[in-house]
Amino acid sequence: MNTKEIKRNNTFRNFFPYLILLVIIGATLFILNMGNNTVHELKTGELIQALKNEEVTEIVITPKSNESIYVVEGKLKDYKDNESFSVKVIEAEIGDITTYAAEKDIKEYETNSDPGSSPVLYIIVQVLPLVLLAVMAYVLFSKLANSNKGSMDFGKSRAKLSDDKHQAKFSDVAGLKEEKEEVKELIDFLKNPKKFQKLGARIPKGVLLVGPPGTGKTLLARAVAGEANVPFFYISGSDFVELFVGVGASRVREMFKDAKRSAPCLIFIDEIDAVGRERGTGLGGGHDEREQTLNQLLTEMDGFGENEGIIIMAATNRPDVLDPALLRPGRFDRQVTVSLPDSNEREAILKVHAKNKILAPDVNLKNLSLRTPGFSGADLENLLNEAALLAVRRDKNAITMDEIDEATDRVLMGPAKVSRKITDKEKRLVAIHESGHAVIGIKLEDANEVHKITIIPRGVAGGYTMMLPREEKIAIMTKKELEAQITGLLGGRVSEEMFLGEITTGASDDFKKATNIARAMVTEYGMSDLGPVQYEQKSEGVFLGRDYGKTKNFSDKVAHEIDEEVRKIVEECYEKAKEILKNNKDLVNILADALVEHETLTKEQIDSLVTTGKYLTAEEIDAAKELEELREEAKEKKIKNYAKMSKEELEKAIDEAEE
């Protein structure tokens, strides 16, 4: 319904009460007026005598429909305005009355036609009201049926059948090489189940996709159905759970009934932890509706045969809370872990999402993939989309690295608060703080590499230092690397204390992260004098919050020793940060001065400040890169004294060497 129709309906709805009020007032006045009129009932002879005596001034003759009776109404000379007479006359006597009325030449004399003699009038009077009643009844019952439509099919399956036109393929799924190999045999089974039946092979009934959000679990399931060219039923775990007990179980039955009719097919249940959580746990006991739904799902998965052509895939990022009965052989007996992409996979994902975007020549997706460790596929898609929006906002014809850099910061920290007023003192304080972090990263061997420093506020942070791993590796860290992380986090506070002579609240989040790392080293990783013992382990309850989710297997004495070890690690890292910054005071001041003046430093500018103490603009950095490339080319061509040549001399020497 458009806006005009809505306004028209509102106008009619507002005007309707006043219309009803007018009708009531009119009817009341009419009834009152009718009550003041006086009607005299005369006999036929009295009417004829009055006609002979010329006492009748008005007369109206109306035949009754389908009856041989006429009603004669009118007025006599001595009647008042509100008086009249009425006479019922049979058909045999009406002729005398009409004759006398014509002879006496009465001024107001009228004879109405018989309603029964007009087919149109008969239809209007007799048939039309019945038709109107039938139409009104039909409209009323139709509206009632539509309003109750949803209430009658609440037990039906909510699983939707994907459109064939939008089926994904493996070519649409960048990365996930090992994960694709894991599910390829499912595609072969869906295409040709007889091949497996011949050898007695049992294909898993259910495949559980486990991994962080945004890693492509749903897309992988769609690609399996698309490659096998089979129907794809998809539903969310929350679509099963309802207020009324038994509704979810009914929907599970209906879903499997529909799937059996469409076999071979694939059923995908997203966020299965919404319905598949472990039964009988939590502070509040069980949930009858959810548990009955889970029981029905378990029963249905046992109910169909091994080679009926139905594969169930489900996705979750919380496999630890799933009911053990779901994960036993015969149900979800295969788990495929969909991890965060590495640099090569990130590059492939960026290429997929960059297909419909116009990128400037300076955009290098390989370099961008190296700068985005820890990004999921959804994060990378959002990154390029944010960059495209920024390019449109800036009226550019292509997406440049400036937009991609800004989009990266927006995804990580939020939009820059450029309109916020910052005092010179606060700017200097933030610059000193961030320079402390950066110098630790530059000078400490096992620390992460510094890629960017900024004092522009973003989110709740007054500034930040982007530090990325020097090389990407699997999720294993050494004790030295963890200590380097703690030292880097403490560098901001040490820098404030050493160069400003005061401390601020800006390091509170740094302390929180450093303490968590140190405590994990002591209680989980066995990296302290307490030995290789795990004192705490993450065990989040199904219905409990995170604060209640750690199991502690130690006494109060050991708790005190743990606190002492955590303090010892943090204090040692604090002293190490002091030593590094004390030996590099000039570098801290150089970086802080550059930040106060320019607010943001890139990796190339940081390297220039570290090596030469000079700040380079973007144009100077590009010129330096070009000069370095020319020197590398001259080196390959064995040109003498190439390191001392200018750009023009190198270009001339290279041209001569080629000739």
Side-chain angles (χ1 to χ4, degrees):
M1 184 179 291
N2 56 33
T3 306
K4 291 183 178 179
E5 291 177 346
I6 293 173
K7 289 182 178 179
R8 193 181 303 119
N9 290 340
N10 290 337
T11 303
F12 176 76
R13 198 176 290 114
N14 294 334
F15 178 71
F16 187 72
Y18 298 102
L19 181 63
I20 296 296
L21 182 61
L22 288 174
V23 171
I24 293 174
I25 293 173
T28 304
L29 292 175
F30 178 77
I31 293 171
L32 291 175
N33 187 41
M34 289 292 293
N36 294 331
N37 291 335
T38 302
V39 180
H40 301 281
E41 295 289 340
L42 300 180
K43 296 180 180 179
T44 306
E46 293 175 342
L47 176 59
I48 294 174
Q49 187 61 41
L51 286 169
K52 289 180 180 180
N53 297 336
E54 298 182 357
E55 295 177 355
V56 179
T57 58
E58 298 178 13
I59 188 169
V60 178
I61 301 174
T62 304
K64 297 290 287 182
S65 179
N66 298 329
E67 297 181 17
S68 299
I69 297 175
Y70 290 78
V71 176
V72 181
E73 297 174 326
K75 288 189 176 184
L76 301 180
K77 288 182 178 180
D78 56 349
Y79 282 0
K80 298 179 181 178
D81 292 340
N82 61 343
E83 288 184 304
S84 63
F85 66 81
S86 177
V87 183
K88 290 184 178 180
V89 182
I90 62 175
E91 188 176 3
E93 297 176 343
I94 195 64
D96 296 335
I97 294 175
T98 56
T99 301
Y100 283 116
E103 289 178 354
K104 300 303 179 181
D105 193 19
I106 299 173
K107 293 180 180 180
E108 297 186 22
Y109 169 53
E110 184 179 354
T111 303
N112 294 332
S113 60
D114 186 358
S117 63
S118 174
V120 177
L121 191 60
Y122 177 79
I123 291 174
I124 293 174
V125 175
Q126 300 292 337
V127 179
L128 188 60
L130 297 177
V131 174
L132 290 175
L133 286 174
V135 171
M136 290 175 65
Y138 174 77
V139 171
L140 179 62
F141 283 109
S142 297
K143 288 186 176 181
L144 288 174
N146 290 333
S147 63
N148 292 329
K149 186 176 181 180
S151 62
M152 300 305 293
D153 62 352
F154 53 81
K156 298 292 184 182
S157 172
R158 296 290 179 89
K160 299 177 183 177
L161 183 61
S162 178
D163 189 359
D164 293 337
K165 297 179 181 178
H166 299 91
Q167 288 281 55
K169 302 289 184 181
F170 274 172
S171 58
D172 300 319
V173 184
L176 303 182
K177 184 177 179 181
E178 291 78 10
E179 290 81 355
K180 291 177 186 176
E181 291 294 330
E182 281 290 313
V183 297
K184 271 187 177 179
E185 64 184 24
L186 303 180
I187 299 171
D188 294 338
F189 169 71
L190 291 170
K191 283 183 175 179
N192 187 14
K194 292 183 179 179
K195 180 173 69 173
F196 292 84
Q197 294 173 1
K198 182 179 179 181
L199 297 177
R202 182 180 69 85
I203 287 295
K205 294 180 182 179
V207 177
L208 184 65
L209 303 177
V210 179
T215 50
K217 299 184 290 295
T218 303
L219 182 60
L220 181 62
R222 287 183 178 276
V224 171
E227 290 289 337
N229 195 24
V230 296
F232 179 75
F233 292 91
Y234 61 98
I235 188 172
S236 172
S238 60
D239 287 334
F240 291 114
V241 183
E242 282 287 352
L243 174 65
F244 304 106
V245 177
V247 174
S250 174
R251 289 176 180 173
V252 172
R253 287 191 295 269
E254 290 292 328
M255 181 181 70
F256 278 91
K257 188 183 297 183
D258 294 340
K260 288 176 182 178
R261 286 196 292 262
S262 303
C265 67
L266 188 145
I267 300 174
F268 177 68
I269 305 175
D270 197 9
E271 304 296 344
I272 193 172
D273 51 277
V275 69
R277 286 175 177 262
E278 188 174 352
R279 292 167 288 184
T281 56
L283 293 176
H287 186 297
D288 287 340
E289 164 60 4
R290 183 184 56 77
E291 292 189 0
Q292 284 201 20
T293 305
L294 175 59
N295 291 338
Q296 187 63 44
L297 179 62
L298 297 173
T299 304
E300 290 291 339
M301 291 187 71
D302 271 343
F304 65 87
E306 297 167 357
N307 293 308
E308 286 191 13
I310 300 175
I311 297 291
I312 303 174
M313 297 185 75
T316 181
N317 51 16
R318 291 295 309 277
D320 54 308
V321 302
L322 294 180
D323 194 280
L326 267 178
L327 306 178
R328 74 157 175 81
R331 290 181 180 136
F332 287 103
D333 44 10
R334 177 176 294 184
Q335 290 190 29
V336 177
T337 302
V338 185
S339 306
L340 290 170
D342 59 16
S343 59
N344 294 328
E345 291 174 330
R346 289 196 297 273
E347 183 182 357
I349 293 171
L350 287 168
K351 287 180 179 179
V352 169
H353 294 305
K355 284 181 179 178
N356 61 342
K357 295 177 175 61
I358 302 174
L359 301 179
D362 66 331
V363 176
N364 189 322
L365 295 181
K366 183 173 182 62
N367 291 340
L368 181 58
S369 68
L370 296 174
R371 294 171 50 189
T372 51
F375 276 50
S376 66
D379 292 331
L380 295 171
E381 180 185 11
N382 186 38
L383 171 63
L384 289 182
N385 184 62
E386 286 287 343
L389 292 174
L390 286 170
V392 173
R393 196 178 303 167
R394 296 172 179 177
D395 294 328
K396 291 189 176 181
N397 297 324
I399 302 170
T400 66
M401 279 305 299
D402 289 339
E403 284 75 45
I404 290 180
D405 286 338
E406 174 65 19
T408 305
D409 293 340
R410 290 171 70 93
V411 171
L412 290 173
M413 303 290 293
K417 299 181 179 180
V418 293
S419 61
R420 178 180 291 178
K421 180 65 175 176
I422 303 175
T423 62
D424 293 339
K425 180 180 178 181
E426 186 178 6
K427 183 181 288 189
R428 181 70 184 176
L429 191 151
V430 176
I432 288 292
H433 181 99
E434 298 303 331
S435 298
H437 289 306
V439 170
I440 298 294
I442 294 168
K443 296 299 180 179
L444 192 58
E445 182 180 355
D446 294 304
N448 290 335
E449 190 175 17
V450 180
H451 278 253
K452 185 177 183 178
I453 316 172
T454 181
I455 59 172
I456 298 174
R458 287 182 182 272
V460 297
Y464 76 97
T465 301
M466 181 187 291
M467 301 174 69
L468 303 176
R470 299 181 188 274
E471 56 183 13
E472 196 162 356
K473 55 184 180 179
I474 57 176
I476 295 178
M477 299 188 70
T478 65
K479 181 180 179 181
K480 288 185 177 180
E481 289 173 337
L482 291 172
E483 289 176 344
Q485 280 194 8
I486 298 173
T487 306
L489 289 167
L490 299 175
R493 166 56 68 85
V494 174
S495 183
E496 293 174 3
E497 187 178 356
M498 186 177 297
F499 293 92
L500 298 176
E502 59 181 345
I503 57 178
T504 69
T505 60
S508 60
D509 189 58
D510 298 332
F511 293 159
K512 177 182 176 182
K513 294 176 181 176
T515 305
N516 288 339
I517 296 173
R519 189 168 188 86
M521 290 174 65
V522 175
T523 61
E524 297 180 37
Y525 308 143
M527 297 179 177
S528 70
D529 293 339
L530 294 182
V533 179
Q534 189 177 56
Y535 293 101
E536 292 180 351
Q537 57 183 356
K538 294 180 180 179
S539 176
E540 296 178 13
V542 179
F543 295 105
L544 296 178
R546 296 180 183 272
D547 294 338
Y548 297 92
K550 281 193 175 182
T551 304
K552 299 181 180 181
N553 300 316
F554 49 81
S555 63
D556 293 340
K557 180 181 178 181
V558 174
H560 177 71
E561 293 177 356
I562 289 173
D563 293 339
E564 291 295 326
E565 287 295 323
V566 171
R567 184 188 299 274
K568 178 182 175 182
I569 292 174
V570 173
E571 287 180 349
E572 288 178 354
C573 293
Y574 196 83
E575 292 300 322
K576 186 182 294 185
K578 278 185 176 181
E579 181 182 353
I580 294 173
L581 295 183
K582 183 179 180 181
N583 297 331
N584 295 276
K585 286 184 177 182
D586 293 339
L587 182 56
V588 174
N589 286 318
I590 289 172
L591 292 175
D593 292 340
L595 282 171
V596 170
E597 183 177 355
H598 303 287
E599 294 187 338
T600 299
L601 300 177
T602 63
K603 185 178 185 302
E604 294 82 3
Q605 292 165 341
I606 295 169
D607 293 340
S608 175
L609 288 168
V610 172
T611 55
T612 66
K614 296 180 180 179
Y615 174 84
L616 297 180
T617 63
E619 292 77 11
E620 291 171 338
I621 291 172
D622 292 338
K625 285 183 179 178
E626 188 176 354
L627 181 61
E628 187 64 28
E629 290 173 359
L630 288 172
R631 286 176 176 171
E632 287 293 330
E633 189 175 355
K635 182 179 179 181
E636 292 176 0
K637 296 184 181 298
K638 299 181 180 180
I639 298 173
K640 296 180 180 180
N641 298 323
Y642 67 88
K644 298 180 180 180
M645 292 183 181
S646 64
K647 177 183 175 184
E648 292 76 12
E649 292 173 339
L650 283 169
E651 289 176 344
K652 184 178 179 180
I654 291 171
D655 291 339
E656 290 175 354
E658 289 177 350
E659 292 176 357

